[in-house]
Amino acid sequence: MNIECPLPAETEETIRLGHGSGGALSQHLFQNYIYPHIKNPWLDQMHDAAVLPVSGARLVFTTDSFVVSPLFFPGGNIGELAVFGTVNDLAMSGARPLYLSCSLILEEGFPLNTLATIMASMGRAAAQSGVQLVTGDTKVVERGKGDGLYINTAGVGVLEREWQIGPASIRAGDRILLSGDIGRHGMAVMASREGLAFETELQSDCAPLHAPVRDLLQAGIRVHCLRDLTRGGLATALVELSQTSSTSFVIEESAVPVSEPVEGACELLGLDPLYVANEGRFAVFVAPEQEQPALEILRRHTVSAASRTIGQVCTSGRPEVILRNLLGCERLLDLLPGEQLPRIC
Amino acid sequence: MKFLHEYRQRNDIERIAREIARTTTRPWTIMEVCGGQTHAIVKYGLQQFLPTQIALVHGPGCPVCVTPLEIIDQALAIAARPDVIFCSFGDMLRVPGSKRDLLAVKAQGGDVRMVYSPLHALEIARQNPTRKVVFFAIGFETTAPANAMAAFLAREQGLQNFSLLVSQFLVPPAIAAVSGAADTRVQGYLAAGHVCVVTGYAQYHALADTFRVPIVVTGFEPLDILQGILMCVRQLERGEHRVQNQYARAVARAGNQRAQDMLQQVFEVASQSWRGVGEIPASGLRLRAEFSRLDAGNIFARERSVTRDDSGCISGEIMQGRKKPADCPHFAGRCQPGHPWCPRKAPAPPITATATRSPPVMKSSHEY
């Protein structure tokens, strides 16, 4: 039997939702259609934010767009997300977040009192994060051409320490710490969007992470890398860091906390919590001797009170993430091709 | 988490594994019928707890894998119509037809919606009276009662804009087809626990007798599966061929009578085409005549596909236990989860059931 087959013709390649999933399709989009046209050394840092030397200081610059649906979900709304998301991207470079921009894309017909509620949330979130929204823009699109409200925020922070925090600083032997249980935001939004009623309400973990990071650095913990877990979840973040740093990680599945409501919802829908989105969790890479002091500092903050070590960086090998499961078997974590879809079987 | 963690404990699993090793004296080939079991086997690496004499082969019990190409092509054509809202279970969205998949149709403007239940599709129909809402009613006996309920309620409530594109399969005829094949390697079966929650397992006795194979109704957690294997191996070693119920916490011998009643009220047994396998008599369900007004297959007859799945794809052989996913030369090479590959004629962008993107047999194998 001849089972050779011709290359599938990619005749009508268009953007699909999976391109926004943070997985392999997102990577394909960036590597092939975006990066080649704009590449530069700052972009090559491949971190959540770019570190830019400006007149003797080191500024950190980042941007993010927020298109969450529904706009209000248990545990937060798009406004808080837009502030915390950008604050967290700055914090993950070790920076002190300073100023944010705020661009609103509003759909014709959007209720102004809803906008006021969201802006009030943004104001509170900014105060909580110690940043100010210093510039912005509003655009209105025709009814049906937006999903009520999209928000883009960009943020500037300042790096006050010498060493580089990022994938390039990850070293063999580093301990990988996780700041709490995973999957809350993704499941809260999904339950809210799809009208799924669970016995226990799922709450997003949406929160600012600058304070625990600040305290780690002030205490002299020489953090090698930080990464907040957003779309694509813990697994995607680890795979990306492994690829960027050309190191391999071993993760103990039993050490990764998943709350019972999230686990139950994931079991029901056939989803893997390792790939479910978070908005208030982060991973910390530190040398083994700083593992315990780092954990102690992290645990002083509500947002990272349940921090624990979930794995470590291996001495050699290919850039890969090995998950040692509850039964002692090992499997490789990979990027998902696109959106994680509920399984029927 | 209660009723889950108890079945994932390493000590218990190793204890059953030791018992399997003690019991096994020669090579046995056992088929896990359900895709959910396949998923658990590869996810938890259960094969490594088994002696080398025990070969597990993946069965045909995965609706996503066996839904025939012509139905998927018809689904894609219906979904592309501007007057249609097409509703589907999540993992069907990525299963490719001969040219594209439902996600691509959505990207090109089709109103394709993922639902968690056919009753959700019914709700969408109520909310959109000017649109035709079509639900892709796929699956085995597990999904059939809820799909039947959607048809029943649609008729009851006089919903004029709701229909079902039906591709329903039955497990026992598939086991008969695998067992009856001249070159079958399968010596024992782990029957699909969730299917038996609905149907019970009375009808499996005839299969066990006819083909002289042990059939163990088995659950989906690691401990369930190893225990099912142990029960199966014990029978094989003793030369027995009985039906046993490992999944007694969920499955009663007679199944769920109310679900069966609903199913029989709406559906009747019919010949069914299986992707990669072909037509198997009396192996599927179709809407009864009194529900024909809800049959999207007829309503959208112009969208019916004449596609023939003549690709030479080996998925049918995988699901009949003759081959493993890695036997395909493209597996994990040109065929990747994000870029599935399959032997289809140019210029069609791909995939049949060997593709790693969609059918979970291959996808599970690839991911783990």
Side-chain angles (χ1 to χ4, degrees), chain A residues 1 3-8 10 17 194 260 263-264 267 269 325 327-329 331 337 339 341-345, chain B residues 1 4-5 8 10 39 44 48 62 90-91 94 106 116 312 329-330 334 338-339 341-344 350 368:
Chain A
M1 178 171 58
I3 57 170
E4 278 298 310
C5 62
L7 186 70
E10 301 248 353
L17 279 176
E194 309 293 347
E260 197 159 293
E263 186 183 18
E267 286 287 344
L269 297 171
N325 76 14
L327 307 182
C329 304
R331 66 176 166 106
E339 297 276 350
L341 297 173
R343 284 189 300 117
I344 171 176
C345 71
Chain B
M1 172 169 274
L4 283 180
H5 292 173
R8 296 175 183 175
R10 187 170 180 173
H39 193 81
Y44 290 101
Q48 76 180 54
C62 166
D91 53 359
R94 263 195 217 130
K106 180 174 160 66
Y116 298 89
H330 303 309
R334 286 190 290 191
H339 188 99
W341 182 269
C342 101
R344 298 216 51 74
Y368 302 114

Side-chain angles (χ1 to χ4, degrees), chain B residues 32-195:
Chain B
E32 85 278 0
V33 169
C34 179
Q37 293 165 332
T38 303
H39 193 81
I41 288 165
V42 288
K43 178 176 178 186
Y44 290 101
L46 298 184
Q47 184 79 52
Q48 76 180 54
F49 290 95
L50 298 175
T52 50
Q53 296 114 302
I54 305 290
L56 293 179
V57 293
H58 313 316
C62 166
V64 169
C65 306
V66 297
T67 298
L69 190 63
E70 55 270 26
I71 292 283
I72 295 173
D73 279 347
Q74 189 178 14
L76 296 170
I78 294 171
R81 287 176 55 125
D83 56 343
V84 164
I85 299 174
F86 194 87
C87 302
S88 169
F89 292 127
D91 53 359
M92 205 61 204
L93 299 178
R94 263 195 217 130
V95 179
S98 49
K99 289 196 175 66
R100 50 186 179 163
D101 59 23
L102 283 167
L103 287 176
V105 170
K106 180 174 160 66
Q108 287 154 12
D111 192 345
V112 177
R113 302 192 192 179
M114 181 177 74
V115 294
Y116 298 89
S117 155
L119 301 183
H120 184 194
L122 213 58
E123 186 55 37
I124 292 172
R126 268 187 228 110
Q127 290 164 357
N128 296 274
T130 60
R131 309 277 302 279
K132 294 171 181 163
V133 175
V134 181
F135 176 68
F136 202 176
I138 66 151
F140 283 84
E141 294 93 326
T142 333
T143 56
N147 293 350
M149 178 60 96
F152 180 84
L153 289 176
R155 196 180 66 155
E156 189 115 292
Q157 297 165 3
L159 268 182
Q160 300 296 315
N161 62 329
F162 180 77
S163 60
L164 301 102
L165 184 62
V166 177
S167 185
Q168 291 281 167
F169 300 86
L170 299 173
V171 164
I175 292 182
V178 172
S179 293
D183 57 348
T184 187
R185 297 196 292 135
V186 181
Q187 295 160 298
Y189 292 90
L190 307 185
H194 290 162
V195 165

